[in-house]
Every structure is written in C-alpha cells, then in structure tokens.
Amino acid sequence: AFGLAPPEIAFGFVVLILAILGHLNLRRGLAELDWPVLIMLATMIPLGSAVETTGAAAMLADGLLAALPLDGVMAIAAAMLVLAILITPFVNNASTVIVLGPLALCVAAASNIPPEPLLIAVALGASIDFLTPIGHHNNTVVMGLAGYRFMDFLRAGWPVTVVVALVSTVAIWIWWL
C-alpha cells in the first residue's frame, strides 16, 4: 500500500510473517485451495496473452468497432459490458476478464478513448452472472447446497442480470464519463 515493495514480494512477505506467527496454517490453506479453478486460470492467462500478442485482440476490436452503430465512449463501454455478460455464463468469470481485457485495451486505443471505462465494463460484465451456475463459483456452491436446477438460474437470473447491467451502465457513465 505504501509502495515499499512490488505487490508479489509484499504479499509473499505477509504470508511468511503470518505463517511464522502461527496465524496461517500452510498445509490447511493448500488443502483448501480450489485446484481446478487455479489450474484453469493458469491455463487461461497464456490464452489472454496470446489474444493480445497474436493480433487477435486488434482484429476483434476492429470488428467490434465496425459493428457498433453509435460512436462514443458510452456505446463502446455498454458493448463491452454486454459482451462480457454474454461470455461469462459459458466460462469462468475470471477467464472472461483475462480474454476480454486485452480486447478492451485495443478497442480503447483504436477509439482514442481512455481504457478505464472499458476495463470496468469488462470487470462488471464478468461479475454479472446470474444466468448459469458455471460463470461464478458462488453460483455453483449455491446450486449444490440449495438443490437448484440449471433452469432455476436462467428463470430467476435474467431479470437480475438486466437490472444490474442497466445500473452498471449508469454507474460507468456517472463515474468515468
């Protein structure tokens, strides 16, 4: 927080101090990690990097900008939000951000607009997953514990998704534009 060390070193130091003081049981912590999610994220990070370095993000950004009927930051941010909302029910929300993050940066550069509203739109859109139990681990946990079926998420989730998407769009407009 004070910029005394890079985040990865600071976090490592905090973990080491907590373990030394007995406030962190490393064996228990490692046992409780959600390894399938960690492995999936580890495999998605190179995919996100590949989207950027191969030029796929620039190509997709050009296609997205050509498809948008309106100009302006708000229309582009709304499009990025909707794109993230549409992808997240089929993949994990973190994977959506890893893949769409470089796309948002390329769209911002190609449109000559600040990247922050687009990155926030991607983050919010990936977090708005009320349609399936797949996109966010909380949905999966709730499905198992409460005995919900897949269709229960779709039936109850679409109104919530629409309302949260509208509120998110207005929030982006208020804070970043």
Side-chain angles (χ1 to χ4, degrees):
F2 298 111
L4 300 175
E8 59 275 6
I9 292 175
F11 286 132
F13 186 68
V14 167
V15 168
L16 183 64
I17 295 296
L18 288 173
I20 289 170
L21 295 175
H23 296 293
L24 178 66
N25 184 331
L26 291 178
R27 288 189 195 278
R28 186 171 147 218
L30 287 172
E32 291 182 8
L33 285 175
D34 193 352
W35 286 104
V37 170
L38 287 174
I39 291 169
M40 183 202 49
L41 289 175
T43 59
M44 290 302 290
I45 290 170
L47 179 63
S49 179
V51 167
E52 185 177 6
T53 58
T54 62
M59 183 188 72
L60 291 170
D62 291 340
L64 181 63
L65 290 172
L68 290 175
L70 303 171
D71 268 342
V73 180
M74 202 57 233
I76 296 170
M80 292 303 299
L81 180 87
V82 169
L83 186 60
I85 289 171
L86 292 175
I87 292 173
T88 301
F90 303 104
V91 297
N92 183 282
N93 60 345
S95 301
T96 299
V97 172
I98 289 170
V99 172
L100 289 183
L103 176 63
L105 292 173
C106 286
V107 167
S111 308
N112 204 19
I113 60 175
E116 289 85 2
L118 303 186
L119 291 171
I120 290 296
V122 167
L124 288 171
S127 298
I128 303 171
D129 181 45
F130 304 108
L131 299 174
T132 67
I134 298 168
H136 197 278
H137 61 277
N138 291 347
N139 295 0
T140 308
V141 170
V142 168
M143 181 180 180
L145 292 176
Y148 292 138
R149 295 181 319 233
F150 195 92
M151 287 304 293
D152 294 334
F153 283 90
L154 188 58
R155 195 174 16 259
W158 75 264
V160 178
T161 299
V162 170
V163 169
V164 174
L166 291 173
V167 170
S168 297
T169 304
V170 170
I172 291 169
W173 180 69
I174 290 171
W175 277 286
W176 279 277
L177 304 177

